[in-house]
Amino acid sequence: MTAPRARTVRSLAVLGGGTALAAVLGLGFQSLLAYWFGASAETDAFFMSLSIYGFLGKFLMLSHLRSLALPVYARLRSRDPERARGLAGGLVGLTVAAVLVLSLLLLAAAPLLVDALAPGYEGAMRDLTVALVRIRVPALVFLAATTVTMAFLESDRRFGVTISAQKVVPAAVSLALLLAIRDRSGIAAVGWIGLAATVAGAALIFPAARARLGSMALAPAAADPEIRRIGSRWLSLSSSNAATFVGEWAFRVGASLLPVGLFSAVLYGRMTHDLLHAAINDSAQTVSLPRFAAAVAAADEEGGEAAERVAADADRRLGPVLRASLARLSALSLPLTLLAAATAPWTVALLFGRGRFLADGMLRPAAVSLALFMIGFFLQGLVQILFSAAFATHRPALINRAQLVGHLARAAALVPLVTAFSYVGLVGAQVAMNALILALLVLWAPPDWGLGAVRAGLLRPVVAAALPAALYWGAVAPRLPDPLALGTLGRVGVLALVGGGWLVVYGALAVALRLPEVGELRRWLRGSAAPAAAALVVLCLLPGRARAQTDASWGAVPEGHWSLTVLEWMEARGDLPAGASAVRPLPGARVAALLAGSGTAAAFDDERGRKRGLVPGLRFALGAAAGSAHRGGTPVLAVEAGSASSLPFAFLDVDRARVLRGGVGVHVRGFWAEAGRERVQLGGGSTGALVLNPAYLDGARVGTAVPVRIPLLGDVSVVAGAGPLPRYDAVRDPWWGFLRATARPARWIQVGLSRGVLAGGHFPGGSVAFDAKPYGPDEGSLGAADVVRLALGQATDFDDQVAALDVRVSLASVGLPLLATAELGWEDRDRSWGDPGLIAGLLWAGRAPLPVTLRYEYVAFGRAARLCSWCDTLPAFWYQHVRFQSGWRAGGDLLGHPLGGYGHQHALAAAAWTPGGALRAGLRLSALTRERWNLLETDRPGAASRVDGTAAWRPGRRVELSGTMRGEWGEGWGWSDWEVRATAFF
C-alpha cells in the first residue's frame, strides 16, 4: 500500500498546488476586476454572461463525459493500448464536432438564450449580455476538447499537464491580459480575455495528449461499441440534465431579479470559496476517481462471468477506499469551512476593499455570500467524492436520481426565496440543494459502501472544528475593529492572527480528542520534518559560513538611514573616496564594508542582526511608535532576508500600516536587481534631490552592485528603474523611469548624471495653471519608436523629463575636512535651459570631542538658480507639464525636491554621534520661500521657517529608543509632527 499512497500524496500535491496557484491568480484577476469595474450594471452583465457560459458547460455534461470515459479508457489501455488510442481519438473527434455545431446555433440564438435565462435584464444590460455571450460561446469548442482529453492523461496520472491546461494557464493568461488591457477597452475586452484563456489551455493540452489520440474520423467513432456505450450512459443522465437546466434557469432568473450590482457582489464573494473548492474538492475528486476505478477494475479481473458477484465484490473493495476518502476530506474541509465563513468580512475587505468596488458599497453582501458559499463548499466536496464512486461502479442512475430531485427542488424554491430574502435566498437555495443531494446519495448508496460508519465517526471532528468557531464568534469577533477602518496590512495582520490562533486551538482539540489525523501528522513529522528541523538547528549552531549567513544582505539601505551621514563624514575626512554615499544602488553589504574601519560599524552590524539571527539569513526589527495626532500610535516592522554570502535577498519596511519598502532581489557577481516598492533618491543633498527624491515607487530596478573600474572614468556605477504609476490624476496609468550613472576619475571627485521621466498613459485633455488654453485628449499613444527615443534621451509627445548633473568634491587631500556638493538640473529639454534648478552645499567633518558634521545647503529654482544673465529665461514650469498636469508627484507624494519647485531655501544642519554609535542626534534649520507655480504654493505659500530634528539612543545592543520632530510655519499657516519609537532588533 506504500507505493499507491505515495502516488496519491504526490498527485494531491500536484493538483492542490496547481489549483491553488490557479485560484490565487484568479483571485488577483477578480480583485483587479473589482478595482477597475466595481459592482455595476456592466459587471452584472459580464457575470451573467459568464454564468450562462458555465451553464452551457454543465448542460453539455462535459465533466460527466470525462468521468464516464476514464474507467473505460483505463480498462482498454491495460489490455489493448491501440484500441484505447482509437477510442480516445474518436471520442474527442465526435465531441468537438457536436459542440462546434451547437456553438454555431448558440451564436444565432444568443438573444433568445439571454431572454430565457435572464428575463430581468432589459435595454442596455440585455444588449451587453448578449454581446458577451456571443464572445464566450466559441470557447465551448476548446473547453470540450480540453475536458475530454483530460480523461486520457489523468488515467496515467499526468495531473501536472491537466491542471495546467484546465486552470493554471488560463488563469495566468487572464491575469496577464487584464493587467495589460485594464479598463481601457471596457468590459467587452474582459470577455475576449476569457476566450483567449480557454484557447491557451487547449493549446497546451493537445501536444501532450497527441500520442494517446488515434484517428478522429467521425464515422468509425460513431460505430465504436465502447463509444456508443459511453454515449448511452451519458444520455442516461439526460433526465437529471433536464432538471439541471430547470434549476440553472431558475438560478439565473433569480439573479436577474436582484438590484443592480448585487449579483456581481455575490460572485465576488464567491471567489475565496472557488479557491478552496478548486484546491481541495476538485483535487480530491480528480485523485479519487482513478483510485476508485482501480479498485473496481481489480474486482472485474477476478470476478469471472457472474455480473452480480462482480458488482458486489466491487462495492466491497470500494467501501474502505471511499470511507477513507470521505473521512480525510471532512477532516480537512470542515475546519476550513468554519474559519473562512467566520472571517469572511475580513477576507472580502482584503481582496476588494478598494477602488470602485469600495465606492459601490458592496462589501457586506459579498461577505455574507462568501460565508454561505463556504457551507456549500463543505457539502459539495462530499457530493463530488460520492459522484466519483458512482461513476467508478457504473451507477450513473444514482447520480441521475439525486440531481433530478435536488435541481427540481431548487428550481421550485429559488424565485420565492430571492423575492423574500434577496441575494441571501439566491445563495441559500444553492446550499440547500447541495445538502439535499448529499442526503439522497447517502440514503440510496449501496450498503456495501458502509457510509453509516462515516456518519458515526464524524462526531469528534465536528466538535474539534466547532469549538474554535464558537470561541471566535463569542469572544474575539465582537472586539475586532471594522475591517474597512484598517489598511491592507492591518487586514492581513488580523487574518494571520485569527488563523494562527484558530490553528492552535484546533490542534489542541485534535490531540485531546485523538483524531486519526493527529497520528498521521506525527508519522509525517517523524519521517520528513524532523530531519529538516535537525538540519536547521545544526546550521544555526555551526560556526563559520553558516554563522556568516547573518551578515548584512545585499538589499539596499533605506534612504535617509543614519549610516549615510557617517559615510559623508568619512568622505570629507578622506577615509572614503568622494561620492561613496551617493552611489546607487547602495546595498547593506556594501555599507557594512565601507563602515568596517569606522567606530560605528558595530552599531550598523547590531541593527542588521549580525551573528544573532534566529534563522540563518533572516533579521527583523519590531517596534512601536507614538506621535502627534497626525501620525498616531502604530506598530512598525522591518524584515531583511539574505546575506553577504547568499545571492537572493528580500526586504520589508512597514510603518503606519503602510509598506514603505518591500520586495525581493538578487545579487549575482557585480550586478544587482530587485522588484517591489522602494524609496529612491538620486544625487542631491541633505534636503533632497532635483530629479528623484524618496517616494513610494513600485517597479523593478537593476544596477551595478559594486563600482566597475573603467579607464579614464575610474569607478563607474549605474542604476536604472521603471514601473507603473497608478496614483496619478491627470494621466491614467502612466509609467515612471529613472537612470543614474556616476563616475569617479580621481579619489577626490565624483561626477553623476541623473534622469527621471513620466511617460505613457492616457491624457483625457484639459488646461493647466500656467496656460488657460484647453488641450485636447491624446490622439495616439506611446509606441516602440518612442520608447527607443526616450532611452536615448530625446523628448516625445507622451513624456515629462527632468535631468541633473551633480559633482561631489572632497578637500581632504589639501588638509581640509570639507565635502563640497553641487547639482544643476533642467526640467524637460524642449523648454528653457536658462531656468534651472540648483543645489549647492558644503559639509565640515569634525572629530573632537565627538564625530560631528556641520553643513550649509542652498536650494533654488528659477531666477535664484540662474548662473548667467544671457541665458534664455523663459520659464520651464518646474515639476509641471501640459500633459502631466498633476505635477511631478505620485498621489500626495512629491517625486522631486521637497521645496516643490519655484523658490529658494537656505539650510543649516548639524549631526553628531558617539564613537560607537550608541547615541546619535541631528538638527536642521531652514528658511525658505515658495513662489508662483510651486507645487505647494496653495497649501504653503510665501516665506516659511522649518525645523527637522532626530535623536537615537541604544541602551543595549538589541534595543533602540529614537525620536523625530519636524515642523514648518509661514504667514497664517503651519504644521508640526513628532514621533517617539522603541525598537528591538533580532
Side-chain angles (χ1 to χ4, degrees):
M1 295 296 292
T2 304
R5 179 174 296 179
R7 287 197 301 270
T8 300
V9 171
R10 284 195 299 271
S11 300
L12 279 172
V14 171
L15 285 168
T19 51
L21 174 60
V24 169
L25 295 173
L27 280 178
F29 179 90
Q30 296 293 343
S31 182
L32 292 174
L33 190 69
Y35 179 82
W36 283 317
F37 292 96
S40 58
E42 62 179 358
T43 54
D44 277 359
F46 169 75
F47 281 119
M48 181 58 73
S49 69
L50 191 63
S51 180
I52 290 174
Y53 172 75
F55 158 72
L56 294 173
K58 289 181 180 179
F59 181 71
L60 293 174
M61 296 186 294
L62 296 175
S63 60
H64 291 350
L65 184 60
R66 182 189 67 175
S67 299
L68 289 168
L70 193 148
V72 176
Y73 175 82
R75 174 171 52 81
L76 287 177
R77 191 169 182 275
S78 63
R79 298 175 179 177
D80 188 350
E82 192 59 31
R83 177 75 178 84
R85 286 186 73 253
L87 177 136
L91 187 59
V92 170
L94 279 177
T95 304
V96 169
V99 175
L100 178 60
V101 173
L102 179 63
S103 297
L104 294 175
L105 296 176
L106 289 172
L107 285 174
L112 300 177
L113 189 64
V114 171
D115 290 338
L117 294 175
Y121 283 12
E122 298 176 350
M125 281 186 66
R126 174 189 178 274
D127 295 339
L128 179 58
T129 307
V130 170
L132 290 169
V133 167
R134 282 176 166 159
I135 291 173
R136 293 302 300 264
V137 160
L140 287 172
V141 179
F142 300 95
L143 177 67
T146 301
T147 304
V148 175
T149 306
M150 285 172 60
F152 315 127
L153 290 171
E154 288 173 355
S155 176
D156 293 339
R157 299 181 180 271
R158 294 287 305 276
F159 297 120
V161 176
T162 59
I163 200 63
S164 297
Q166 185 188 28
K167 295 179 179 179
V168 176
V169 169
V173 169
S174 297
L175 181 58
L177 291 177
L178 182 61
L179 284 170
I181 296 175
R182 302 189 180 185
D183 59 339
R184 300 188 186 98
S185 303
I187 201 70
V190 185
W192 287 109
I193 287 174
L195 174 60
T198 307
V199 173
L204 174 68
I205 201 169
F206 262 89
R210 191 65 190 92
R212 293 171 174 79
L213 301 178
S215 172
M216 297 184 186
L218 300 183
D224 189 312
E226 294 291 353
I227 293 179
R228 285 175 171 270
R229 189 173 295 111
I230 292 173
S232 64
R233 290 172 179 169
W234 180 79
L235 289 174
S236 69
L237 297 171
S238 57
S239 58
S240 68
N241 203 31
T244 300
F245 179 86
V246 175
E248 295 296 326
W249 168 79
F251 177 82
R252 283 149 188 84
V253 169
S256 69
L257 298 178
L258 294 175
V260 172
L262 269 182
F263 184 49
S264 297
V266 167
L267 293 189
Y268 281 131
R270 188 174 179 171
M271 291 304 104
T272 302
H273 157 274
D274 290 347
L275 187 155
L276 295 174
H277 180 75
I280 296 175
N281 290 346
D282 287 350
S283 299
Q285 182 184 24
T286 303
V287 170
S288 297
L289 184 57
R291 291 182 62 208
F292 296 166
V296 172
D300 190 17
E301 291 176 0
E302 300 175 6
E305 297 296 332
E308 293 183 2
R309 184 162 59 84
V310 170
D313 190 44
D315 289 336
R316 284 192 296 272
R317 287 177 175 270
L318 180 63
V321 182
L322 173 60
R323 292 192 297 272
S325 298
L326 291 172
R328 289 194 182 98
L329 183 60
S330 299
L332 177 62
S333 61
L334 185 57
L336 281 176
T337 294
L338 296 177
L339 173 61
T343 58
W346 291 93
T347 302
V348 172
L350 175 64
L351 294 174
F352 309 114
R354 56 191 179 276
R356 281 197 57 187
F357 189 74
L358 182 63
D360 293 334
M362 291 294 177
L363 281 175
R364 186 177 183 277
V368 173
S369 299
L370 171 59
L372 293 174
F373 273 123
M374 287 310 303
I375 301 173
F377 154 77
F378 174 70
L379 299 173
Q380 182 64 24
L382 302 179
V383 168
Q384 287 182 235
I385 295 296
L386 292 175
F387 275 8
S388 295
F391 280 123
T393 54
H394 307 295
R395 286 190 172 91
L398 176 60
I399 300 172
N400 199 28
R401 285 189 295 162
Q403 287 202 115
L404 179 64
V405 176
H407 282 286
L408 288 178
R410 181 181 67 159
L414 200 144
V415 173
L417 286 175
V418 172
T419 303
F421 302 105
S422 187
Y423 70 93
V424 175
L426 183 72
V427 183
Q430 179 74 22
V431 175
M433 183 194 71
N434 290 333
L436 178 59
I437 291 177
L438 177 62
L440 293 175
L441 288 173
V442 172
L443 178 66
W444 294 335
D448 287 336
W449 287 4
L451 298 184
V454 176
R455 293 197 299 268
L458 285 178
L459 179 60
R460 287 183 296 164
V462 168
V463 171
L467 284 180
L471 179 63
Y472 172 81
W473 275 310
V476 178
R479 293 173 171 80
L480 293 176
D482 184 349
L484 292 182
L486 301 180
T488 299
L489 190 68
R491 296 166 192 167
V492 172
V494 169
L495 281 172
L497 289 174
V498 171
W502 197 297
L503 182 62
V504 169
V505 174
Y506 177 75
L509 289 171
V511 173
L513 295 174
R514 298 181 179 178
L515 297 184
E517 290 72 26
V518 175
E520 292 187 10
L521 179 61
R522 286 173 176 167
R523 288 191 294 272
W524 179 81
L525 289 174
R526 286 196 298 267
S528 302
L536 181 60
V537 172
V538 170
L539 285 175
C540 292
L541 296 178
L542 281 177
R545 181 175 178 83
R547 187 68 62 88
Q549 290 289 318
T550 55
D551 292 342
S553 86
W554 280 92
V557 170
E559 298 292 351
H561 192 265
W562 62 266
S563 63
L564 301 182
T565 301
V566 179
L567 294 181
E568 286 188 306
W569 179 83
M570 297 175 70
E571 291 177 42
R573 299 195 62 85
D575 297 331
L576 291 178
S581 63
V583 170
R584 294 295 182 273
L586 193 57
R590 180 72 176 159
V591 175
L594 294 173
L595 291 175
S598 71
T600 57
F604 184 82
D605 288 341
D606 287 344
E607 181 179 305
R608 314 303 277 185
R610 181 183 178 96
K611 297 184 179 180
R612 289 200 313 279
L614 301 179
V615 178
L618 174 65
R619 288 151 304 283
F620 63 94
L622 182 63
S628 63
H630 173 67
R631 297 181 67 87
T634 177
V636 295
L637 172 68
V639 178
E640 183 181 355
S643 72
S645 55
S646 64
L647 299 183
F649 59 85
F651 57 97
L652 178 67
D653 191 358
V654 178
D655 190 6
R656 285 181 284 170
R658 188 177 188 181
V659 178
L660 303 182
R661 310 171 62 234
V664 295
V666 64
H667 157 238
V668 180
R669 299 184 182 275
F671 297 95
W672 171 98
E674 71 172 29
R677 172 170 293 179
E678 184 57 284
R679 295 167 64 87
V680 181
Q681 178 174 331
L682 302 182
S686 65
T687 58
L690 297 181
V691 173
L692 192 64
N693 210 53
Y696 301 96
L697 292 177
D698 301 322
R701 289 153 291 277
V702 295
T704 52
V706 292
V708 178
R709 190 72 179 176
I710 298 178
L712 299 180
L713 296 178
D715 292 337
V716 175
S717 297
V718 179
V719 63
L725 191 66
R727 298 176 294 139
Y728 202 84
D729 296 330
V731 176
R732 292 181 57 188
D733 304 321
W735 280 66
W736 60 266
F738 72 81
L739 172 67
R740 175 167 171 79
T742 58
R744 188 184 299 115
R747 182 178 175 84
W748 56 272
I749 183 171
Q750 181 201 63
V751 180
L753 178 64
S754 304
R755 286 186 63 242
V757 61
L758 297 181
H762 175 72
F763 173 55
S767 60
V768 293
F770 56 82
D771 189 351
K773 173 186 174 182
Y775 289 86
D778 290 338
E779 297 181 358
S781 61
L782 195 70
D786 294 315
V787 173
V788 175
R789 291 168 62 192
L790 283 175
L792 296 176
Q794 298 184 11
T796 72
D797 294 332
F798 306 99
D799 69 271
D800 181 20
Q801 303 187 39
V802 177
L805 178 68
D806 61 273
V807 179
R808 299 172 72 89
V809 176
S810 173
L811 301 180
S813 59
V814 296
L816 298 176
L818 295 175
L819 179 67
T821 60
E823 183 174 24
L824 189 64
W826 299 270
E827 158 65 77
D828 215 353
R829 61 169 293 178
D830 62 349
R831 302 206 195 151
S832 171
W833 283 80
D835 197 43
L838 173 67
I839 299 177
L842 189 66
L843 179 145
W844 174 77
R847 173 164 289 178
L850 295 174
V852 62
T853 64
L854 297 178
R855 183 197 312 258
Y856 167 75
E857 188 166 287
Y858 175 69
V859 180
F861 295 85
R863 290 177 299 174
R866 291 170 187 161
L867 304 180
C868 60
S869 59
W870 62 87
C871 294
D872 178 8
T873 58
L874 292 174
F877 301 111
W878 264 92
Y879 297 138
Q880 300 190 66
H881 192 271
V882 169
R883 187 172 186 269
F884 291 90
Q885 296 179 8
S886 299
W888 197 260
R889 67 176 96 196
D893 299 317
L894 299 183
L895 293 177
H897 195 279
L899 183 61
Y902 286 110
H904 60 273
Q905 174 178 340
H906 299 272
L908 290 173
W913 55 93
T914 58
L919 185 63
R920 308 185 302 274
L923 179 66
R924 185 174 73 229
L925 305 176
S926 303
L928 53 96
T929 300
R930 295 187 176 92
E931 301 173 351
R932 186 185 179 191
W933 297 321
N934 187 290
L935 291 179
L936 301 177
E937 178 188 9
T938 302
D939 298 326
R940 307 178 194 176
S945 301
R946 181 181 174 105
V947 178
D948 295 87
T950 62
W953 174 48
R954 293 196 174 181
R957 298 179 64 187
R958 298 194 180 188
V959 179
E960 179 175 285
L961 304 177
S962 61
T964 62
M965 180 273 294
R966 57 180 185 159
E968 189 174 327
W969 299 270
E971 185 176 351
W973 61 271
W975 64 272
S976 62
D977 187 59
W978 62 270
E979 178 190 80
V980 293
R981 176 177 297 182
T983 308
F985 301 105
F986 298 89

